[in-house]
Amino acid sequence: MAGIGWKLEALLERDSLGSAASAFLTGVAVTSGPWLLTTLVLVLMRLSAAESEITGIADAERIVTIVYAGVIVMGAPADIVLSRFAADRVYERNCAQIAAPLRRVLAVCLLVFAVAGAGAMALCDIPAPMALPGAVLTAIVGGQWLLLSAAGGLSSPGIILRAFAFGAPASVLAALALSHPLVLGPTGYLYGFGAGQLVTLGLLLWGTLHALPSEEDEDARILPAFRHYWVLAAAAFAFHAGLWVDKLVIYFRAGGEVASAYAALAAVAWLSVVPACAYVFVCIETVFHRRFRAYYRALHTGASLHDLESLATELQREVGRTLRGAASVQAGVTLLCALLAPLVVAKLGLADHATTLRWLLVGAAAQVLALAGTLLLYYFDFRVEAFITALTQLVASGLFTFLVDAPAVHLGAGYAAACAVTCAVGVGLLRWRMGRLLEHTFQSQPYGTED
Amino acid sequence: MSTTDQTDYIDGTSGKRYDAHVALVLEGSYPYIAGGVSSWVHQLLCACPQRRFALLHIGPHEGAYQKRLYELPPNVSVLREMHCRGGDEHAPRRRRRPSTGPLRLGPTKKPSRMLAAFRRLHLTDTVDDELIADLASGDLSVAEFLHGDATFDLLRRELYEQLSPGAPFMDFFWHFRSMHVPLLRLLAAPIPDVALYHAVATGYAGVVGAVASYRAGRPLVVTEHGIYAREREMELSRAGWIQATGGSTQGASPLRRLWTHYFRMLSRIAYHRAARVLTLSESNRVKQVADGADPAKIRVVPNGVDATPPPEPKPALAPKGDRMRVGFVGRVVPIKDVITLIRACALARERVDLEVWVVGPENEDAAYAKRCRGLVQMLGLDDHIKFLGPQKVSEIYPQLDVVLLTSLSEGQPLVILEAYAAGVPVVATDVGACRELVEGRDEEDRELGPSGIVTRVANPPETAMALVKLAQDPSLRAAMGRAGMARVSARYQLCQVVASYETLYTSMVSA
């Protein structure tokens, strides 16, 4: 991320409105590009399908939802470990060790997700003509998110954006073309969408392998990274499971129709965090990163205790500034979105759910702050605290949704309460850790080298 | 930690069952490292066959010493290894780590006494029973020390500010850890139950002896050959791993001062707890007193060699103009300053013909030995200075004309006594007891005449002059050889040393 950080710094240093906007738009593209494009594709396809009145398209949409939910949750541990593995090798200037493990993990991932996808289709009683493309789509999306993580670890946002920029329209066009009643209908929707995602996967693979050196270390192993980063893997699983658990609870307690509306509104609400994500990204990659480097560089360049304390204090303040800035941005966006909620729900054909959308907007606002806190915890390698935050989201979201939302009276209120609790936990842990940054920096150092 | 051949020893007077009678606490010496201290220990063990000994050997880490250089006599019932570093303290242990505030241990919620002792080690100059009791409390684990908040608070709030404000904090932090982790590990190690603890150095060995003595309520005897704190100070002054800068505008760097004070305090702990402090020479006694030892506790017991019956005086081997054979017998390590020896021989060779034998192991500091060999090669002296490695010294001395010792620090070198026993004069630097060994301890001793020449430390021209003088005057060499032989016969007999220690052991145990 250092490369993108310098670019952002250069943009911000121009000190003009246009350059600042460019910096934040870059932040939007990098942090939210892939899922924004994916969401856009799904929304566009839904709207187009609704206009063309293809029967059975809802089943295809449900399969896509199942695929994404399953892949994102189940693949999260491997994705985060691969990302860290790649980032570590880049840091060590040992990129030759990335390609071979990446290929092996990708092969395993495609196989496992194909089998898991087939299993999920069978469990959901999906008929065979749709189960087949459903299983294939699971494998493709699984591989795609894995490579997304690898490219992230390689600090190559260009690879990601290029792949999704081509893959997204390809998905829309292919899905619409093949889902026409005269072609394949709902099954064609899945094949077309899968084909577009395959294009994304192929471009990601091509870009990632081209970003790596031609020399390869075939003996490189990724398994030790799973042992080393198991807390991160667990945190990633908990975080992503936390994104879906409320939908699952609603599905089982209030039925598929309510759950479908809830999921659609949650996806829309989550769009409101894009500006805050971009803000956090730009802050972390520029001023914060500079202070972060200054602090850790000072440790090894003979800084006195007084200097270190000053730098640690500056870093703590920067963390506070980043969170407060993100909160301000998010508050503005949430307020605006809350005012526009009736219009949005009417457009989506869910006019009765304006209150639900408002609750979900509040929840998303709290969750993005928790996410920012978690990212900062990761930055300082406070893995256990990051895991606690993610686990809080998972447990609270499931529990509060069960207790508050189930009667479908205050749909979204449970999620909002859960996110507020998670935000308090995450930010609280971050504040506590930052208050003892100097102690942690030193006292967590292992002693001895003769292992 | 390894133990060999455990055998109980029952004290004849009290009936108490001990693992051994005397525990010798050793640091980096017998039975793994050759040298004066190791030779002395071996002599003592062999000369006291009726006593059972436990040996507690302090080494840097497991596996540092692979091979014993001495065969243990049968009266050694226990050999226990203690290590300064190990594998159990590496990773932070969150579960053991107190969350906030001063270190709290167990239900009593008392701050660590050991940590309080560490504080005193750095911030005060005095040692008392309370300090030793605190160290003996054992209420601080290595993990708690490394990762506990109380340690960091002490370091940050008190020690750094008072001892080296402005110095690189990272360096201060690691030096602080490096000082105390060995101590914590050593003090946590099991110690055999014996009737008497005998530390054959101060430093870590002295503290281990002092704490073991305190815990068991048994007496401690300390024998110092070289003055530990002074030797460490000398090493520190040359050490590249301590930065000379960092918060210091005058004098030694704060980190060097930190270490120096630390080692002095370790010595003081041993001096304070010891019932008797033994040393080899009057000059050492003066230094010990200056370093805080109670003069009333100190006894001078010089080294001794088995010089009976005295061999025939060695005649001057080479006529004037012929090659004189000079021998260095000892470890090739920096404290012996072999570099000065080589430079001195090179200078002397410009005027007289010399052959130099370097006899002793080179593996203790291989880099230094390599440097010495490189210097010999660079000076073009390969044909004149030969590295013979370890040899049977009793066969070496008769072949030498002069024994040369250029050490930076010594206690009372056995090498000199062994050379005297063989009728070989010495050229030695003015360290430890060398001057009194060469020129005599008192008036009566001085009447025997000089048995060699004393030179200043690290002074190749002066050493070279001494060699030239002896090379050019074989009759002087012969006279000095005779004086040395007379001196060792009169004052440095092994039986005298053994009798002194036997008496001491008996009195200490009965006390």
Side-chain angles (χ1 to χ4, degrees):
Chain A
M1 287 292 190
I4 196 87
W6 290 324
K7 285 175 198 163
L8 292 172
E9 287 268 23
L11 282 171
L12 291 176
E13 277 171 11
R14 285 186 209 157
D15 205 19
S16 70
L17 190 62
S19 58
S22 298
F24 284 98
L25 283 175
T26 307
V28 170
V30 172
T31 57
S32 315
W35 65 266
L36 270 181
L37 286 171
T38 305
T39 307
L40 192 66
V41 165
L42 293 173
V43 171
L44 273 177
M45 288 198 307
R46 183 174 194 186
L47 292 175
S48 305
E51 279 174 17
S52 59
E53 295 177 349
I54 305 167
T55 52
I57 204 74
D59 292 337
E61 284 176 354
R62 196 174 303 127
I63 289 171
V64 171
T65 305
I66 292 168
V67 165
Y68 270 92
V71 164
I72 288 172
V73 175
M74 303 309 294
D79 294 348
I80 188 95
V81 170
L82 183 66
S83 175
R84 288 303 294 256
F85 175 81
D88 288 350
R89 300 295 83 78
V90 170
Y91 180 77
E92 294 166 359
R93 299 175 192 279
N94 198 4
C95 292
Q97 290 197 333
I98 297 174
L102 174 63
R103 277 200 305 270
R104 285 194 288 268
V105 172
L106 181 61
V108 171
C109 173
L110 289 173
L111 191 67
V112 167
F113 276 115
V115 172
M121 299 300 126
L123 271 177
C124 296
D125 282 334
I126 307 289
M130 292 185 90
L132 179 64
V136 172
L137 181 65
T138 311
I140 291 170
V141 174
Q144 196 183 88
W145 283 78
L146 188 82
L147 288 174
L148 192 76
S149 304
L154 291 172
S155 305
S156 305
I159 297 172
I160 300 168
L161 292 175
R162 198 164 38 243
F164 277 84
F166 281 102
S171 293
V172 176
L173 293 175
L176 290 179
L178 293 178
S179 63
H180 195 275
L182 296 178
V183 187
L184 288 171
T187 312
Y189 178 98
L190 287 177
Y191 277 117
F193 182 68
Q197 295 304 301
L198 189 62
V199 170
T200 309
L201 174 64
L203 288 172
L204 276 172
L205 185 60
W206 183 84
T208 306
L209 291 179
H210 271 76
L212 295 171
S214 52
E215 302 88 38
E216 288 183 19
D217 181 356
E218 284 293 335
D219 295 330
R221 295 282 178 274
I222 197 172
L223 204 59
F226 277 92
R227 282 196 291 271
H228 188 63
Y229 289 121
W230 72 269
V231 178
L232 278 186
F237 177 81
F239 175 80
H240 287 98
L243 289 178
W244 291 94
V245 68
D246 53 332
K247 285 121 191 141
L248 207 61
V249 170
I250 299 282
Y251 178 82
F252 283 112
R253 295 276 292 178
E257 200 175 323
V258 177
S260 179
Y262 179 84
L265 291 170
V268 171
W270 192 243
L271 291 175
S272 70
V273 305
V274 171
C277 280
Y279 176 85
V280 169
F281 175 77
V282 171
C283 286
I284 287 181
E285 288 292 341
T286 55
V287 184
F288 173 81
H289 184 69
R290 204 164 54 233
R291 296 205 190 288
F292 182 87
R293 281 173 60 92
Y295 173 70
Y296 284 99
R297 196 189 300 118
L299 292 170
H300 302 286
T301 51
S304 67
L305 177 61
H306 179 261
D307 292 342
L308 289 175
E309 284 173 336
S310 300
L311 289 166
T313 305
E314 277 304 308
L315 199 48
Q316 287 158 19
R317 285 183 185 149
E318 195 55 45
V319 166
R321 271 195 287 269
T322 302
L323 288 178
R324 281 195 300 276
S328 303
V329 170
Q330 190 58 49
V333 175
T334 302
L335 192 63
L336 186 66
C337 291
L339 291 173
L340 295 173
L343 288 176
V344 175
V345 291
K347 189 74 182 164
L348 290 171
L350 299 165
D352 297 341
H353 290 85
T355 307
T356 301
L357 180 57
R358 286 183 177 128
W359 279 123
L360 291 171
L361 285 166
V362 171
Q367 193 171 3
V368 79
L369 289 180
L371 181 62
T374 308
L375 287 175
L376 289 164
L377 286 168
Y378 278 145
Y379 220 94
F380 289 97
D381 208 20
F382 295 130
R383 299 176 200 180
V384 173
E385 288 75 10
F387 173 66
I388 290 170
T389 307
L391 193 63
T392 304
Q393 176 73 46
L394 172 62
V395 173
S397 194
L399 188 67
F400 290 179
T401 304
F402 182 82
L403 294 175
V404 181
D405 293 356
V409 178
H410 300 293
L411 209 57
Y415 165 75
C419 292
V421 169
T422 308
C423 179
V425 169
V427 173
L429 285 172
L430 183 63
R431 276 177 61 90
W432 175 64
R433 274 303 190 188
M434 293 309 296
R436 304 184 62 76
L437 179 62
L438 201 64
E439 288 87 334
H440 174 82
T441 305
F442 283 92
Q443 296 298 85
S444 64
Q445 296 291 315
Y447 183 85
T449 54
E450 67 268 30
D451 261 334
Chain B
M1 200 92 26
S2 69
T3 304
T4 62
D5 188 20
Q6 289 271 7
T7 308
D8 285 348
Y9 176 82
I10 302 169
D11 185 80
T13 314
S14 65
K16 181 170 168 53
R17 184 180 293 269
Y18 292 115
D19 295 333
H21 195 182
V22 180
L24 293 181
V25 191
L26 306 150
E27 187 178 326
S29 56
Y30 188 82
Y32 300 105
I33 299 289
V37 173
S38 295
S39 300
W40 179 88
V41 171
H42 194 66
Q43 276 182 344
L44 185 69
L45 294 173
C46 294
C48 303
Q50 77 288 3
R51 292 197 185 273
R52 288 212 166 272
F53 287 89
L55 304 182
L56 310 180
H57 182 266
I58 298 171
H61 56 83
E62 196 168 354
Y65 305 125
Q66 301 286 346
K67 191 180 155 195
R68 290 181 200 164
L69 300 183
Y70 296 84
E71 188 177 341
L72 296 182
N75 56 332
V76 174
S77 60
V78 177
L79 169 59
R80 188 160 291 175
E81 301 289 348
M82 304 168 79
H83 301 120
C84 295
R85 298 199 308 273
D88 58 345
E89 67 270 12
H90 296 174
R93 294 186 179 178
R94 288 168 189 262
R95 273 176 296 180
R96 287 192 189 179
R97 186 178 173 187
S99 56
T100 53
L103 189 66
R104 305 285 181 189
L105 298 157
T108 55
K109 304 288 184 189
K110 285 182 181 170
S112 164
R113 291 176 67 186
M114 289 190 93
L115 206 53
F118 290 171
R119 179 185 173 280
R120 280 193 60 189
L121 282 179
H122 291 290
L123 297 181
T124 67
D125 289 322
T126 55
V127 172
D128 53 26
D129 292 341
E130 189 188 350
L131 177 64
I132 295 172
D134 286 345
L135 286 172
S137 68
D139 65 358
L140 185 67
S141 71
V142 174
E144 284 164 339
F145 170 77
L146 288 174
H147 309 298
D149 293 338
T151 311
F152 193 73
D153 286 345
L154 170 66
L155 192 69
R156 180 183 185 177
R157 311 274 175 223
E158 289 197 78
L159 300 185
Y160 179 80
E161 289 303 326
Q162 294 191 39
L163 300 174
S164 56
F169 186 68
M170 183 67 113
D171 292 349
F172 187 78
F173 169 81
W174 280 106
H175 283 269
F176 180 70
R177 275 185 161 190
S178 303
M179 276 176 202
H180 295 297
V181 167
L183 206 52
L184 282 166
R185 285 182 58 82
L186 295 171
L187 296 184
I191 301 286
D193 191 14
V194 298
L196 173 68
Y197 293 92
H198 183 179
V200 190
T202 54
Y204 290 120
V207 175
V208 168
V211 168
S213 148
Y214 176 86
R215 284 173 177 160
R218 301 302 309 166
L220 171 72
V221 169
V222 172
T223 296
E224 247 189 329
H225 287 239
I227 305 300
Y228 186 94
R230 305 285 177 113
E231 288 181 353
R232 298 294 82 76
E233 195 173 346
M234 197 179 303
E235 286 173 2
L236 288 167
S237 68
R238 296 171 160 226
W241 50 271
I242 295 186
Q243 291 178 9
T245 56
S248 172
T249 52
Q250 55 186 5
S253 77
L255 293 173
R256 190 164 286 139
R257 283 202 304 270
L258 189 77
W259 278 100
T260 303
H261 183 76
Y262 176 68
F263 284 128
R264 283 193 184 233
M265 287 299 281
L266 295 189
S267 292
R268 281 178 193 177
I269 288 169
Y271 293 151
H272 180 83
R273 177 66 196 175
R276 280 281 178 274
V277 178
L278 294 105
T279 191
L280 302 174
S281 65
E282 182 59 26
S283 62
N284 277 2
R285 193 191 74 83
V286 171
K287 288 175 188 166
Q288 286 174 324
V289 171
D291 285 352
D294 179 357
K297 291 182 180 176
I298 303 176
R299 300 283 183 277
V300 176
V301 179
N303 273 333
V305 290
D306 190 1
T308 52
E312 286 298 310
K314 191 171 180 294
L317 282 177
K320 190 173 180 181
D322 282 355
R323 185 173 275 197
M324 181 174 80
R325 188 173 288 154
V326 179
F328 162 82
V329 181
R331 296 166 294 140
V332 182
V333 290
I335 205 162
K336 301 291 181 187
D337 201 4
V338 182
I339 294 289
T340 288
L341 181 142
I342 294 166
R343 290 192 188 284
C345 291
L347 288 172
R349 240 193 54 76
E350 291 171 5
R351 296 179 59 185
V352 294
D353 196 9
L354 294 180
E355 180 183 11
V356 183
W357 288 357
V358 177
V359 179
E362 298 172 36
N363 55 353
E364 192 176 322
D365 189 338
Y368 182 76
K370 191 177 172 189
R371 197 177 139 212
C372 293
R373 283 175 175 270
L375 180 62
V376 168
Q377 204 171 17
M378 195 185 82
L379 295 171
L381 295 173
D382 303 78
D383 294 338
H384 299 275
I385 301 182
K386 291 173 180 159
F387 290 84
L388 304 183
Q391 298 285 331
K392 193 171 181 183
V393 289
S394 59
E395 292 172 3
I396 291 290
Y397 287 117
Q399 300 180 62
L400 300 176
D401 296 308
V402 173
V403 163
L404 176 56
L405 202 65
T406 47
S407 299
L408 300 171
S409 175
E410 284 288 356
Q412 189 202 35
L414 269 175
V415 173
I416 293 181
L417 300 180
E418 288 166 351
Y420 287 172
V424 181
V426 301
V427 173
T429 43
D430 190 7
V431 291
C434 289
R435 183 172 289 280
E436 60 191 68
L437 282 177
V438 171
E439 296 175 356
R441 272 164 68 187
D442 49 35
E443 205 52 47
E444 190 185 345
D445 195 8
R446 278 191 280 277
E447 281 177 6
L448 295 171
S451 40
I453 299 173
V454 178
T455 62
R456 282 178 293 173
V457 171
N459 194 324
E462 195 172 316
T463 306
M465 285 291 290
L467 290 174
V468 169
K469 186 175 178 183
L470 290 175
Q472 291 175 340
D473 192 347
S475 60
L476 178 65
R477 290 204 311 264
M480 287 180 164
R482 282 192 297 275
M485 194 173 285
R487 182 161 283 130
V488 82
S489 297
R491 294 181 173 248
Y492 300 102
Q493 293 280 358
L494 179 61
C495 57
Q496 296 165 340
V497 179
V498 173
S500 298
Y501 274 93
E502 273 294 355
T503 308
L504 179 74
Y505 284 163
T506 304
S507 66
M508 285 291 118
V509 171
S510 61

